[in-house]
Amino acid sequence: MSTEKVTARRITAEETSGLDLQDSIFVLAGMDGVAPDCYARAFLTKPGRNFEGGSFTVRTVFGDEIHIFPDNAEEGGVWIADKAGEKIEVLQSAGVLLNLALFVPGGSKESLESLYSAARDAFGAGIVQRWNEEVVEVPDAKVDLYEEPARGRKNTNGQNRDRRALDIYPTRVRFLEPSEGWKFVVEPHKEIIDETPTI
């Protein structure tokens, strides 16, 4: 893995509690084979204000969850990009891991092989690897997949209030997770018919 020099400064637990899920931070990578003072990009697992006791949980871009106390002098702390800071060494990712659910009409082996060969042509032979492959029959029926609040609101008249339409293919549910505070609702598919009068 390659590294890059980034100008950053260490922040306190109070500043960390003001961060949100989208804010990019740096924490010690703590990975085998890399220098002990090498950092990795990371994000908080929940908004900083929701943590208590000065301990924060972050997830690095490499998928590792780390518990840190920013104010502990014996730990690497939490860093953010800042031109007035100091130079730190940050790990670059070696590539991108895609977890894909592909729908192939007909499901023929030739169709799948042509997909793989196109990916190898685009990125180079030996670069694209097939780690896990699962073939699932897609029923010849469609459903409406919605998200709706996990706890129903009081005094709401409409059943469809706050609904979010997600998909119409039932097998996709296996690859999705509902948003925080929401739950999945699966119903028989109904074509949307626009009955707006036209002139």
Side-chain angles (χ1 to χ4, degrees), residues 168-190:
I168 56 174
Y169 294 104
T171 40
R172 282 259 303 164
V173 184
R174 303 177 55 208
F175 300 97
L176 297 171
E177 289 183 8
S179 306
E180 187 177 344
W182 293 66
K183 66 178 180 182
F184 283 144
V185 178
V186 180
E187 297 175 355
H189 179 60
K190 295 176 186 170

Side-chain angles (χ1 to χ4, degrees), residues 76-93:
V78 176
W79 296 67
I80 60 169
D82 188 338
K83 291 180 181 177
E86 57 187 275
K87 295 278 187 185
I88 60 172
E89 200 81 21
V90 177
L91 278 176
Q92 292 284 76
S93 67

Side-chain angles (χ1 to χ4, degrees), residues 90-123:
V90 177
L91 278 176
Q92 292 284 76
S93 67
V96 176
L97 174 64
L98 297 178
N99 185 7
L100 297 178
L102 298 174
F103 174 70
V104 182
S108 68
K109 190 173 180 183
E110 294 76 21
S111 303
L112 289 169
E113 284 305 326
S114 66
L115 278 172
Y116 295 130
S117 101
R120 283 192 290 268
D121 290 344
F123 297 101

Side-chain angles (χ1 to χ4, degrees), residues 143-199:
V143 298
D144 289 329
L145 174 62
Y146 294 99
E147 271 188 329
E148 68 178 21
R151 289 179 293 279
R153 294 183 178 178
K154 294 179 180 176
N155 304 324
T156 54
N157 308 340
Q159 287 285 3
N160 295 335
R161 178 166 296 187
D162 282 343
R163 280 198 163 194
R164 297 191 261 199
L166 295 179
D167 217 322
I168 56 174
Y169 294 104
T171 40
R172 282 259 303 164
V173 184
R174 303 177 55 208
F175 300 97
L176 297 171
E177 289 183 8
S179 306
E180 187 177 344
W182 293 66
K183 66 178 180 182
F184 283 144
V185 178
V186 180
E187 297 175 355
H189 179 60
K190 295 176 186 170
E191 292 290 343
I192 298 173
I193 300 171
D194 188 356
E195 296 180 341
T196 307
T198 56
I199 298 173

Side-chain angles (χ1 to χ4, degrees), residues 1-3 29-38 91:
M1 291 187 187
S2 59
T3 62
M31 297 170 67
D32 293 335
V34 301
D37 59 347
C38 207
L91 278 176

